[in-house]
Amino acid sequence: MAVTPPPDWQRVPGASRAHLLVNAAQNDNSPNEKPPGRFKKFLSKPLVWALALVLGAIGAFVTNYVTKSLETVVVEATTDPILLYDVHQLEPVSRDESGFVVPGSHSDLEAVEWDPGFGSAENGGIPTASWVHEQGGTSAGWGTWEVVLEATRETEITIVDIRPENIECADPASGTLFIFGSQGGEAPMQLGTTIDAAHPEFKALPEDWNLLPDSDPDQTLTTFPAYGDTTQLSLAPGDQEVVRFFAHAASQSCTWDVALEYATGGEYQTVMLSPTGENAFALAALLPPEAYETVVIPYNYCADYLGHAVSGEEAARILAELYSSNALVDCA
């Protein structure tokens, strides 16, 4: 039996035409089957098939466009970052009651790698951060990091939140303590936190905060406004800004990252600062001097202007005399 083509046959594409021919032949060869329902008859109309093909083509185009757009966003985010940064731990930290702690006893000052900008083995200066890191040590008491931020896109970036994240703490380290004296320093923006507090957050610090006498630094930090409450950092395209981070460990040894949440072009994104090696965010709480095997007293604490490696018990005596007399002490 010949198959009768449906109306408007020329409007149906070849692939669909063949499909209709097969279906028609099957229907003609199956006289005992029930006649097709209204829905099947509707689907057999050539206009429906043409509309389905058009909608399918539109769907394929939209899917391909969205996929390529998402791929472009991913490539831009990974190969063309919006915010560049560089982290460097400062030597020395800008605060009294701070220093480096290194496992074991290091009473032989000649074996220490000293920072040429601050002293040498002869005058008991400051060990380099790289040497401390190689020995498995870290900053103690207070730590200071300087972060340089740079905007790379053509729109302004506003840092809306800066917070410590991924904080991990343990018992404070002991061994050899290298004490630092107070050092000054200024930066366009200074932020501070007690990293082992119950809910650490970065506070906006006044320029001279590190020079203020302070018997309870953690309590003092709570009196300053949190970052974002009174000020936010904005970077115009191509701008560089410096932020100095101060951290205090009251009772534990901690490591952490710093999350910077920023807004640009109406969108919010977060970049995680996770430096490694000697510039890592790592800090140990200061123990009482007698808890250390060795304490290296800095030259500017001693009457002979020489650094001295002494026992923890002797360091406790020297420091007590220094603070009570407010004068240089006989450290020999």
Side-chain angles (χ1 to χ4, degrees):
M1 180 182 294
V3 178
T4 303
D8 300 326
W9 182 261
Q10 296 301 325
R11 297 176 57 187
V12 181
S16 296
R17 187 185 307 172
H19 181 74
L20 290 175
L21 284 170
V22 172
N23 283 344
Q26 290 176 347
N27 289 335
D28 288 340
N29 294 330
S30 304
N32 296 326
E33 293 182 3
K34 293 182 179 181
R38 292 183 178 179
F39 183 69
K40 290 184 176 180
K41 289 182 177 180
F42 173 76
L43 291 179
S44 66
K45 294 183 178 180
L47 181 60
V48 174
W49 283 96
L51 180 61
L53 290 172
V54 171
L55 292 177
I58 293 175
F61 172 78
V62 172
T63 302
N64 186 56
Y65 177 81
V66 172
T67 301
K68 287 188 175 181
S69 297
L70 290 176
E71 289 175 352
T72 301
V73 170
V74 171
V75 169
E76 288 183 353
T78 54
T79 63
D80 185 19
I82 295 175
L83 186 64
L84 299 177
Y85 67 89
D86 182 51
V87 182
H88 178 66
Q89 183 174 189
L90 298 186
E91 308 171 55
V93 292
S94 302
R95 185 74 193 179
D96 272 330
E97 300 182 358
S98 61
F100 280 142
V101 61
V102 177
S105 178
H106 294 270
S107 57
D108 181 9
L109 300 185
E110 295 292 338
V112 176
E113 181 181 299
W114 301 95
D115 190 317
F118 294 96
S120 62
E122 286 73 24
N123 60 16
I126 298 166
T128 63
S130 59
W131 180 84
V132 172
H133 174 69
E134 290 170 0
Q135 309 306 312
T138 183
S139 292
W142 288 89
T144 310
W145 291 263
E146 196 163 79
V147 178
V148 180
L149 304 173
E150 181 179 355
T152 63
R153 296 291 178 87
E154 296 180 356
T155 56
E156 184 178 75
I157 295 176
T158 299
I159 311 295
V160 297
D161 191 22
I162 301 177
R163 59 187 180 272
E165 288 194 359
N166 305 324
I167 304 171
E168 297 183 2
C169 297
D171 292 337
S174 60
T176 296
L177 173 65
F178 293 83
I179 298 177
F180 294 160
S182 178
Q183 301 287 336
E186 297 182 359
M189 178 172 291
Q190 299 185 115
L191 304 176
T193 188
T194 301
I195 196 60
D196 53 355
H199 303 287
E201 61 177 344
F202 282 112
K203 301 285 191 172
L205 306 178
E207 291 184 2
D208 61 347
W209 78 278
N210 60 305
L211 302 178
L212 301 176
D214 196 351
S215 59
D216 190 350
D218 301 310
Q219 176 60 34
T220 300
L221 279 175
T222 64
T223 65
F224 298 131
Y227 175 83
D229 287 354
T230 59
T231 183
Q232 289 184 343
L233 183 64
S234 294
L235 291 83
D239 275 1
Q240 284 190 347
E241 292 287 349
V242 176
V243 181
R244 188 167 292 174
F245 292 94
F246 296 86
H248 181 239
S251 61
Q252 297 180 290
S253 293
C254 300
T255 61
W256 67 97
D257 300 324
V258 174
L260 273 67
E261 183 180 355
Y262 60 90
T264 178
E267 298 182 354
Y268 289 85
Q269 300 188 41
T270 300
V271 62
M272 195 72 68
L273 309 186
S274 306
T276 58
E278 64 188 75
N279 296 314
F281 295 123
L283 182 63
L286 277 179
L287 298 170
E290 54 269 22
Y292 296 99
E293 297 180 51
T294 304
V295 176
V296 179
I297 307 295
Y299 73 96
N300 56 343
Y301 282 20
C302 303
D304 59 3
Y305 286 97
L306 293 175
H308 293 269
V310 301
S311 66
E313 291 78 8
E314 180 65 10
R317 181 196 68 78
I318 292 173
L319 295 175
E321 183 179 343
L322 175 72
Y323 296 142
S324 62
S325 65
N326 199 27
L328 298 182
V329 180
D330 182 7
C331 301

